[in-house]
Every structure is written in C-alpha cells, then in structure tokens.
Amino acid sequence: AQPCKTADTTMEKSDDKISQSNTAAASVDATTTKEQNTTKEDDDPPLSKKALKRRKRWEKALEIKKRRKEQSKEIRRIKAQNEGRDLDAEREQQKQNEKEGKGWEKREKLWNDRCNKGNIDESFRVCFDCNFEDQMTWKEVNSLSLQLRYAYAMNRKSPMPLHVHVTGVKSGCDTRKHLEKIDGFPDRWAGRAYHVHEGSLEDVFDSALSNVDTSKDKDDKQEGDNNAAKSVGKEEGTEKDDSQQSQPKLRPNHQLVYLTGDSENTLSTLDNNTTYIIGGIVDRNRLKRAAIERAEAIGSNNSTLPIKTARLPLDEHFDFKGSTRVLTCNHVFEILLKYRENGYKDWGGAVMSVLPDRKDIHEKEEKKDE
C-alpha cells in the first residue's frame, strides 16, 4: 500500500504545479491586456474643451429625445384609455393588416381620393432643375437632396398634390447617390406623382411638348391610368424604367416659367397649364444670377422650348427688413402648394405659413386690408 500512496502524493503535487502555472499565465495575460488597453487609451488624443461641450450637448439632446418619446407614448396611451380603445388590440390588428396588404390598399385609396378631389391632372406642375451640381460643393448637394425629400413628403401629404418632375438626376451623380439611400426611391416616389428623370430639363420637356396631343381628355385619363398602374406595379416589386413611365403628358399651349428672384416679371397668380421650374441650387447666395442665366440659355439654344421667367410677389406683400429674400427649394415649392390649397389667392397667407419665424418678415398693412 505504501508505493500507491507515494504515487498519489506525487500526482497531487504535479497537479498543483500545473494549476499554479496556469494561474501565473492567466495573470500575465491579464496584465498584458491591461497594459495594451492603457497604452491604447494613452495614444488617443485628449478631447478639447470644444469637443467635450459638443459631446455633452449631443448626450443631452439624446436624453431629451428619449424623454419626449416616452412622454408622447404616455399621452397616446392616456388618450386611447379615455376613448375606450385597446392599444394592444390595435397593434395586433395593424400587424395583421400589414401581412394581408390591407394597409397599402388603404393608403392607395386615400391617395387616389386626394388626387381626384384636387384634380391633379388639371393643375399646374412643378419641376426641380438639378443642372447645377457641378457648381456646388458636396455639402450643398447633400442639402439639395434633403430639400427634394422634404418637397416629396409635403406633396405626398398634401390634400391637393401636384405632378412634380425632378430633372437632371443622372445615374451616378451625388444627388442620386444621396436619394438612393431612401427606401422606395425612385419607384414608390413615382407612384406618388413625384417623377425623377435622368434627362435634363431640355430633354424631358422638349420631348413632352413635341408629343402634345390635342385630345387632352384622352391624355389626362391615360396619365391617371398609367400612374395608378405604375404605383401597383412598384409596390409589388416590378422593375420599370421610371424615366420612360413618367414622361410629362402636357396639354396644348403648355407654358414653362422659370422662377428666379432676378426676373423682372412678377407672378400675380398661377396658371394651371404651366410648369413652374425651381432651380435646384443650394449656394448660400454664392451663385448669383445662375437661375436666370440658365433660363435664358435654354430659350436661346432651343427654339422649340419657349421659356419665361418670373419671381414670387414677395416684395409686393412683405417687409423683409434685414432678412434675405433667398428661399430654399422646398420653401418655394411649399408656397406654390399652399397658394393652390388656398384657392389660388392669398399669397401672404401662403408665404407666412411656410417661412420660419427666424425670417422675421411682416406682411404689409395695405395687403392685410385687401
């Protein structure tokens, strides 16, 4: 029995040595990792006071956003409780509707009702001319893409939407790269009367004007049918060439008016057989007279594409004091949209409802009396 006992003791000592060796190795690894992390932290440059303030503002903004979201949810819960609604049951019903496609059918019906009520095919059109990208910085192009998105959202939610065309958004250009990050671009946008073309303003409307048919009722009806069919096809995932599907179908004697603050002509009202062109420019007032020079160049180089210029009646209705008269693309579009919603009257109400308070503009007293 003695030799067996000695062997067991020897094995125990061996196990202890192995355990101690593993512990030491683990300790060395932990120390090495800690030293590496410390070295990495030491390598990072310390934040400046300005960066620390910026981080604190960012963290505070996140906290405020989270708190407001919770407050909004609580308000909805209390409102539903007071109305005797079951939010959990409504959420389950919403999920079921999404699975069955009823949600899309409902949205499509609401859209078609607004288009029919607003008589979209009989209204004026708006075109964003995105031919200035090579004159703008990357930051300015990014701002332009945001403004185009704002305009799309406003038109989609409007009770009286318009046909909108965005020209010059070529494949591979920075503007298109920004917009392609948005879900549904450009297919679902076209289904909401917001058509994006790779061709230039001249190419799109020269072709459209040359194809004008005197049978305008046939054209209007065909355009409505095409839009409805295309919307269904896009939602189902059918790939279609948007530049061909959404070519403007114009009526006889259709006019083109380029909106620019440098024009000597002032708009008194809006004509329903006209496309109003907004220059896709974000330049911080750097590219002076770019829009009017672009319009004059189109008119002089293309005899089949008559184009006029005009400006919004801002000075006639408002006192800008020290504020700039330069407006963003989406603001100009929304003013036109609001003016139509107001029954083609009240420029003052349309402008005041759109421009932010920081503009600090005041409507002239004589215009208020009118």
Side-chain angles (χ1 to χ4, degrees), residues 70-87 91:
E70 293 174 351
Q71 291 174 349
S72 179
K73 289 174 66 176
E74 182 64 17
I75 290 173
R76 288 198 302 269
R77 187 190 65 78
I78 294 174
K79 182 179 179 181
Q81 186 177 7
N82 293 337
E83 294 175 354
R85 293 159 48 206
D86 186 351
L87 285 179
R91 293 191 186 99

Side-chain angles (χ1 to χ4, degrees), residues 104 183-188 228-241:
W104 176 82
D183 184 38
F185 174 87
D187 299 337
R188 293 184 185 176
K230 184 169 73 168
S231 178
V232 173
K234 297 301 181 182
E235 290 287 343
E236 293 175 350
T238 304
E239 296 295 332
K240 297 184 180 180
D241 185 358

Side-chain angles (χ1 to χ4, degrees), residues 200-210 250 254-256 277 294-308:
S200 65
L201 168 68
E202 303 94 301
D203 294 337
V204 172
F205 281 90
D206 190 22
S207 175
L209 288 172
S210 63
L250 309 177
H254 193 82
Q255 302 292 319
L256 299 178
I277 305 166
R294 163 83 169 139
E296 291 172 350
I298 294 174
S300 60
N301 296 332
N302 195 329
S303 59
T304 61
L305 196 64
I307 188 167
K308 302 177 182 178

Side-chain angles (χ1 to χ4, degrees), residues 5 27-28 62 72 101 108 112 125-127 176 182 233 240:
K5 184 176 181 180
S27 177
V28 171
L62 286 181
S72 179
E108 193 68 12
N112 290 331
R125 295 167 181 260
V126 173
C127 173
R176 196 174 193 94
I182 309 304
K240 297 184 180 180

Side-chain angles (χ1 to χ4, degrees), residues 17 21 25-26 42 44 49 70 74 76 86 164 203 212 231 262 279 292-293 353 362 369:
K17 288 181 180 180
S21 177
D42 293 340
D44 292 337
K49 291 183 179 180
E70 293 174 351
E74 182 64 17
R76 288 198 302 269
D86 186 351
V164 181
D203 294 337
V212 169
S231 178
D262 296 314
I292 193 167
E293 289 176 359
S353 66
H362 302 280
D369 297 337

Side-chain angles (χ1 to χ4, degrees), residues 262-314:
D262 296 314
S263 176
E264 297 179 354
N265 306 316
T266 303
L267 284 179
S268 57
T269 188
L270 298 177
D271 177 62
N272 279 331
N273 197 22
T274 299
T275 294
Y276 294 96
I277 305 166
I278 302 171
I281 307 174
V282 179
D283 61 343
R284 317 299 183 214
N285 205 22
R286 177 171 51 84
L287 302 176
K288 298 183 182 299
R289 294 186 60 82
I292 193 167
E293 289 176 359
R294 163 83 169 139
E296 291 172 350
I298 294 174
S300 60
N301 296 332
N302 195 329
S303 59
T304 61
L305 196 64
I307 188 167
K308 302 177 182 178
T309 62
R311 63 178 179 86
L312 295 177
L314 299 179

